[in-house]
Amino acid sequence: MWAMATAFAGEAAHIKHIGHLSAPDIARATGADETTVRAWLRGDRSPSGERAERLAELSSIVERMVRVMDASYVPVWLRKPIALLDDDKPLDVIAMGGYRRVSRVLAGLEGSGAV
């Protein structure tokens, strides 16, 4: 069980690094407090339950995004109102459990090869 918990904490650090996400970005998408996310990033704590689910979903999105856009643009895109998400922001959609909505929009970007 400890290895799985550690893996989730490592995932937070991974997406912070590859997607240039801040602790507030990760907190917003997972519903966790920023202090809690900073503890994940240090490896002092690890998400569980719904927060772990949201973190895994955010990770999946970020890993796909860095293949279709410059990594430095990832946090910008995640905070922008997106017309195909009814002008909702991807971070907020993920936080509400709408991973599949964001994934479908991202699939369109993957198919076009451009942002």
Side-chain angles (χ1 to χ4, degrees), residues 31-46:
D33 184 85
E34 286 180 40
T35 305
T36 300
V37 171
R38 285 186 181 89
W40 297 348
L41 293 170
R42 289 190 309 270
D44 295 340
R45 296 179 65 188
S46 191

Side-chain angles (χ1 to χ4, degrees), residues 79-90 92-93 101:
R79 290 185 198 119
K80 287 178 76 168
I82 304 294
L84 291 172
L85 295 174
D86 300 319
D87 287 322
D88 289 332
K89 299 170 185 176
D92 298 333
V93 174
R101 288 179 60 208

